[in-house]
Amino acid sequence: MTIASGKQKSAQYTASMAQAPIPQEQRSGLSRQLVTSELLDTATALFAKKGYESTTLLDIAKALGISRPGLYNYVSSKEELLIMLVEQVSQGLAEVLEQLTARADLSPTQKLRDVVALLVRQRTQHPDQFRILDRSETVLPEPVGSEHREAKRKILREVMAVIETGIERGEFRPVDARTAALSLLGMCNWVAWWFSRGSDVEETVATVTDLAQNMLVRPGAPGPEAETTRTVEEIRTLLDRLAPRR
């Protein structure tokens, strides 16, 4: 998809949405999704501040400005919040990465840049979600604990596949794919721990993406500028797919 065609489709879609009324059921679904997203961000911020065990559902309800019975419309326990985090942070990300790495129209170098940009952007926009889930891995209830671990393994496999293909095609230096993939994921995940709110997200994304490319791409290999450029809006569209599924 070219930038021009993407913008044209976006404009056409926006115009059609402006003309056509949104069904009540769809409005309700969008509203619930927005509230659930805010709920996760609020809850994880409290978990980070007070600790998971010390935070109550009443604390979360007060922070959201709703009653505790109102909160039960979205979640019934703190464990359910952890389940929602797994669905969004690990399972959702694994599914999006699988779709991205399967694209035949992108070279390994561009896939590498897109994967890193997606990971870093998610970590900068929702750092508390990643940090709390990372800290809570050992207390996740089953079967969600096993699902989370499998999603992490899937993410590793997808990144390894990109690196292995890049090596086979001569774009990447011959390195151990698993070690390189773990190093890339560690670099991206660590952003959630040091990124400061209010800092420039785009600058951070660009810097880490360039570092990842420089780490793997063989000198003299074609750069992403020789390919169809993907826009920031496309990356954000991928992130939108990680919305909570409640």
Side-chain angles (χ1 to χ4, degrees):
M1 182 180 70
T2 63
I3 296 177
S5 64
K7 289 183 177 179
Q8 289 170 355
K9 289 181 180 179
S10 177
Q12 293 170 358
Y13 177 77
T14 302
S16 64
M17 288 297 290
Q19 295 172 2
I22 301 176
Q24 177 62 41
E25 182 178 349
Q26 186 176 345
R27 288 201 301 272
S28 299
L30 289 172
S31 176
R32 184 176 184 83
Q33 187 180 83
L34 288 172
V35 173
T36 305
S37 180
E38 183 182 0
L39 166 59
L40 277 178
D41 280 337
T42 300
T44 50
L46 285 173
F47 292 160
K49 181 180 179 180
K50 301 182 60 175
Y52 174 75
E53 296 297 335
S54 300
T55 303
T56 66
L57 289 181
L58 181 59
D59 293 330
I60 297 170
K62 287 181 177 179
L64 283 169
I66 62 177
S67 65
R68 180 166 177 171
L71 182 62
Y72 285 137
N73 290 323
Y74 302 93
V75 64
S76 59
S77 68
K78 289 192 297 182
E79 281 190 350
E80 190 173 348
L81 284 169
L82 292 179
I83 294 172
M84 292 165 66
L85 282 175
V86 168
E87 290 179 346
Q88 178 166 332
V89 177
S90 53
Q91 289 180 316
L93 183 59
E95 292 172 5
V96 170
L97 286 184
E98 182 178 31
Q99 296 170 15
L100 175 60
T101 58
R103 288 183 55 172
D105 60 320
L106 299 176
S107 73
T109 299
Q110 189 60 59
K111 287 181 181 179
L112 172 71
R113 293 185 64 87
D114 288 348
V115 166
V116 172
L118 181 65
L119 286 165
V120 174
R121 192 177 300 281
Q122 201 276 342
R123 302 317 187 219
T124 56
Q125 292 178 345
H126 304 283
D128 288 334
Q129 290 186 11
F130 177 80
R131 292 200 299 262
I132 291 302
L133 186 56
D134 189 52
R135 290 171 174 169
S136 306
E137 284 186 346
T138 58
V139 297
L140 289 173
E142 293 296 342
V144 71
S146 297
E147 293 170 352
H148 171 62
R149 289 186 289 274
E150 175 54 33
K152 289 181 63 178
R153 288 191 289 267
K154 184 176 182 179
I155 291 170
L156 176 61
R157 289 195 300 267
E158 295 298 334
V159 178
M160 285 179 61
V162 171
I163 295 173
E164 289 168 348
T165 303
I167 294 172
E168 291 171 1
R169 295 186 182 181
E171 289 185 34
F172 297 168
R173 294 184 295 103
V175 296
D176 181 77
R178 187 173 188 276
T179 301
L182 288 170
S183 299
L184 281 175
L185 289 170
M187 179 170 63
C188 295
N189 291 340
W190 189 243
V191 172
W193 299 92
W194 60 255
F195 183 78
S196 300
R197 295 185 185 277
S199 299
D200 192 329
V201 172
E202 301 307 323
E203 181 179 353
T204 301
V205 170
T207 298
V208 179
T209 301
D210 286 344
L211 288 172
Q213 179 175 330
N214 293 336
M215 183 174 79
L216 284 175
V217 174
R218 182 174 53 80
E225 62 277 359
E227 307 171 7
T228 300
T229 304
R230 300 193 63 219
T231 64
V232 172
E233 286 72 21
E234 286 182 276
I235 293 293
R236 286 173 176 162
T237 298
L238 290 173
L239 277 174
D240 288 342
R241 297 181 191 174
L242 301 182
R245 308 175 192 177
R246 299 297 170 114

